[in-house]
Amino acid sequence: MSLLVADNISKTYGSAGWFRKSTSEGTGVRNLSFSLEEGTCLGILGESGAGKSTLGRIVLGLLPPDSGTITFEGIDLYRSDRKARKQWRRDIQVVFQDSYSAVNPRMRILDIIAEPLRNYERLTSLEERRKVAELLVLVGLTADDMHKRPGQMSGGQLQRVNIARAIALKPKLIVLDEPVSSLDMIIQKQILIHLRELKEKYGISYLFISHDIMAVHYLADRIAYIDQGSITDVRTTLELSNTASLKQP
Amino acid sequence: MRRRWVLIVSLSLLLAVVICGVLAPYLAPHDPNIVDLTHKLEGPSLTYPLGTDQLGRCLFSRLLYGTRVSLSLALVIVVACLIVGIVIGCLSGYAGGWIDNLIMRANDAILAFPSLILAIALIAIWGAGWKQMAIALVIVQAAYYVRFVRGLVISLKQQSYITAARVSGTNAYRMMIRHIIPNMLPPLLVVVTLEIGWVIMDISALSFVGLGVQAPTAEWGAMINEGKSFIRSHPRLMIAPGILIFIMVALLNLISDAVTEKKGLGSPLRRKREAAE
């Protein structure tokens, strides 16, 4: 069974009100279907405005689609009961593009990474610190960094903090929404290497949303090309390297 | 740099006024309510630094005690507004949908009236007195806070750290306490400083027309009211409290302005990002 299955999902943005006509323009997604196997990475490649981030929000359970279903381990995300929702909410995590705005500027790194732990587990403060220290080391930072505040860190370091927060609960799926796009090349590479290691070590699946074909190619097992809200082509990364002929509009 | 000095000077002056109010029982040369008709309407002297009013009460002592009443009343009203505004504004902004609509339309109904007129109408129903005045002012002022807080919550909701926290399983209550309210405070404090000034004016205005603080309690607005019969012969009875109101409101405005301009200081992260861009 696939970990995540999207079946014919559509979401269009538009506004209808008392004084406005209903419009259905703007970027959304149209009749998207794909599946993601456990322990693999599906790359979603597309230009800006192609509907990539909309897709990410739908997968995270934050934006109900207009039609179609999205199932995670056989549970429909938008028709699940409270108990099931609590479970999948824990199993799907996210890393955003802008590492600065993805952390609360007033919180210490310790509190940022410990937030998901505090929401789901009852740890003593000593256990919590130990766990956060472990996570920090795992993403290539040091345990002392937990006392810093976001203002004292660089964009790349903060992205590592975001990754540490995402993996804190050992999720099954992480949505990576342009995780390296705002970083410089060398840091990008380091982060990608870390992400690949984590995937192999813990068997985490990724939905890797990006416009950067090199980054997607490095991390993804399969790549779906999305254009104007629809998937136009799906290839395995191997095929792609052999033919290098991803269909372009 | 000049702004910095404005801030420092106005803050210290404000602090001085507050200290004078707090220490009024020790600083005041006389009991503010002791009537001594043998000394009525005297000019400034060593025993009476600012002279006496029509009942022979020490004007300086009354001003000091009036500071206490005006400032503490203004502070209580603003804090009450703040609590009401944060609770209802967060509920409205975070929940959205029909809850938001309901709260906002009720809010609009209050905002549709000129605030002072509505306060006067409410006091007319309940009767004059400082408690009634405080409740009426909270009701009319809190509507502005609700709207402002709701706007802040809606703009904060767009931040990715709020989305990230939601994905981490943070519930609505923790979201408010940990993320939204702490990040809302800097802009809110700027508004609050300004609002204290307005509330001081409102209190004085309502007390002046006899709806707020009642005689013989010393309060700036009420003192102006009592002094108005002597505007020709002894204008200082009105001028002294008037100047004090003016100074307080001006100081609070200056502080609010200076803080607004320095607001970037509130968040080291924002400063850093601006430098990087």
Side-chain angles (χ1 to χ4, degrees):
Chain A
M1 192 176 68
S2 301
L3 184 70
L4 182 81
V5 181
D7 184 24
N8 223 9
I9 50 172
S10 295
K11 173 80 197 173
T12 48
Y13 294 107
S15 51
W18 289 358
F19 304 109
R20 275 171 300 184
K21 269 191 175 173
S22 154
T23 51
S24 55
E25 285 148 37
T27 57
V29 294
R30 264 184 316 206
N31 305 326
L32 271 188
S33 299
F34 63 86
S35 66
L36 173 61
E37 308 304 317
E38 207 160 340
T40 66
C41 172
L42 174 66
I44 304 281
L45 194 61
E47 295 165 15
S48 314
K52 301 186 306 265
S53 291
T54 303
L55 176 62
R57 290 180 70 83
I58 293 173
V59 171
L60 287 168
L62 298 171
L63 188 71
D66 298 334
S67 63
T69 55
I70 183 138
T71 50
F72 178 78
E73 295 188 304
I75 301 164
D76 187 330
L77 288 192
Y78 293 96
R79 286 175 196 83
S80 52
D81 57 26
R82 222 184 147 84
K83 209 176 138 208
R85 194 181 311 133
K86 195 154 185 179
Q87 188 54 42
W88 65 251
R89 175 67 85 207
R90 184 181 171 146
D91 284 335
I92 305 177
Q93 293 297 321
V94 66
V95 176
F96 285 113
Q97 170 175 12
D98 184 355
S99 55
Y100 285 106
S101 66
V103 292
N104 185 338
R106 298 184 172 271
M107 282 164 76
R108 285 173 306 167
I109 303 302
L110 170 69
D111 299 317
I112 291 166
I113 297 178
E115 185 166 16
L117 297 170
R118 288 174 189 165
N119 288 335
Y120 287 101
E121 284 164 25
R122 292 266 155 269
L123 299 177
T124 64
S125 83
L126 195 71
E127 285 170 335
E128 188 183 278
R129 271 164 195 266
R130 196 175 299 143
K131 179 92 203 218
V132 170
E134 257 173 51
L135 287 165
L136 281 168
V137 173
L138 206 59
V139 295
L141 296 167
T142 60
D144 289 337
D145 289 330
M146 73 169 78
H147 304 294
K148 289 187 181 165
R149 287 190 189 263
Q152 295 165 279
M153 298 191 115
S154 69
Q157 286 174 317
L158 277 180
Q159 200 58 301
R160 290 167 192 271
V161 169
N162 284 318
I163 293 169
R165 172 173 60 187
I167 62 173
L169 292 167
K170 299 249 160 51
K172 293 183 177 141
L173 171 66
I174 298 181
V175 175
L176 303 168
D177 190 353
E178 304 260 13
V180 293
S181 304
S182 58
L183 307 171
D184 61 59
M185 290 302 281
I186 297 167
I187 312 284
Q188 279 194 16
K189 181 83 184 174
Q190 289 171 351
I191 300 259
L192 287 172
I193 291 171
H194 262 291
L195 285 169
R196 189 142 103 172
E197 275 174 17
L198 291 169
K199 173 178 160 232
E200 277 153 18
K201 203 164 165 186
Y202 298 108
I204 305 172
S205 310
Y206 292 139
L207 186 72
F208 186 3
I209 298 168
S210 182
H211 63 263
D212 180 354
I213 192 164
M214 299 296 284
V216 171
H217 190 263
Y218 180 82
L219 202 60
D221 302 295
R222 285 193 310 143
I223 299 174
Y225 187 82
I226 181 170
D227 184 39
Q228 293 187 344
S230 308
I231 289 179
T232 52
D233 200 10
V234 184
R235 301 276 174 110
T236 63
T237 313
L238 205 62
E239 271 175 10
L240 192 69
S241 341
N242 291 340
T243 60
S245 65
L246 192 72
K247 210 191 291 170
Q248 293 278 356
Chain B
M1 266 302 104
R2 211 176 63 84
R3 281 274 160 204
R4 219 184 118 103
W5 282 109
V6 171
L7 187 61
I8 292 171
V9 171
S10 16
L11 268 178
S12 16
L13 282 174
L14 182 72
L15 198 67
V17 177
V18 171
I19 289 175
C20 285
V22 172
L23 297 181
Y26 304 98
L27 293 176
H30 302 273
D31 185 313
N33 293 323
I34 282 194
V35 176
D36 182 358
L37 290 174
T38 54
H39 289 289
K40 68 173 184 178
L41 295 172
E42 271 180 15
S45 62
L46 275 177
T47 35
Y48 298 106
L50 288 175
T52 60
D53 66 4
Q54 72 283 6
L55 297 174
R57 296 175 294 192
C58 170
L59 191 57
F60 182 65
S61 307
R62 285 184 70 75
L63 275 183
L64 284 178
Y65 276 89
T67 310
R68 273 187 133 186
V69 175
S70 291
L71 286 188
S72 51
L73 210 48
L75 207 63
V76 167
I77 290 170
V78 167
V79 168
C81 285
L82 207 54
I83 292 170
V84 174
I86 286 179
V87 171
I88 298 180
C90 282
L91 181 68
S92 184
Y94 195 72
W98 67 269
I99 300 178
D100 183 33
N101 253 321
L102 189 74
I103 294 175
M104 276 304 115
R105 294 302 79 78
N107 213 45
D108 286 344
I110 297 176
L111 291 177
F113 292 96
S115 62
L116 211 53
I117 303 288
L118 184 58
I120 289 172
L122 290 172
I123 298 169
I125 297 170
W126 297 328
W130 69 268
K131 280 182 203 150
Q132 290 89 322
M133 172 184 68
I135 296 171
L137 281 178
V138 168
I139 290 174
V140 297
Q141 294 283 334
Y144 292 93
Y145 287 71
V146 169
R147 178 148 284 241
F148 186 67
V149 168
R150 171 183 175 268
L152 289 174
V153 172
I154 287 174
S155 77
L156 281 172
K157 244 167 72 176
Q158 315 292 327
Q159 299 284 329
S160 10
Y161 63 83
I162 301 291
T163 313
R166 256 183 90 185
V167 173
S168 311
T170 306
N171 62 30
Y173 173 73
R174 284 176 174 170
M175 191 75 89
M176 292 299 149
I177 301 296
R178 286 186 200 161
H179 296 287
I180 291 186
I181 293 176
N183 282 294
M184 197 159 71
L185 286 181
L188 207 51
L189 284 180
V190 171
V191 173
V192 163
T193 9
L194 206 60
E195 275 291 320
I196 294 177
W198 283 107
V199 170
I200 288 177
M201 298 258 277
D202 285 350
I203 293 172
S204 301
L206 289 172
S207 301
F208 175 73
V209 293
L211 294 174
V213 178
Q214 300 293 308
T217 311
E219 193 278 337
W220 297 337
M223 287 172 71
I224 296 181
N225 184 27
E226 286 172 40
K228 72 176 185 289
S229 327
F230 304 90
I231 188 166
R232 280 171 191 262
S233 54
H234 300 89
R236 81 192 140 79
L237 293 184
M238 290 183 83
I239 291 172
I243 286 178
L244 217 50
I245 293 174
F246 169 76
I247 290 176
M248 281 305 293
V249 177
L251 283 180
L252 287 162
N253 271 283
L254 283 173
I255 291 168
S256 174
D257 268 8
V259 174
T260 311
E261 254 178 51
K262 285 179 61 163
K263 215 167 58 181
L265 281 179
S267 156
L269 197 62
R270 189 183 307 148
R271 211 174 30 189
K272 187 165 174 176
R273 280 179 78 178
E274 275 162 9
E277 275 159 11

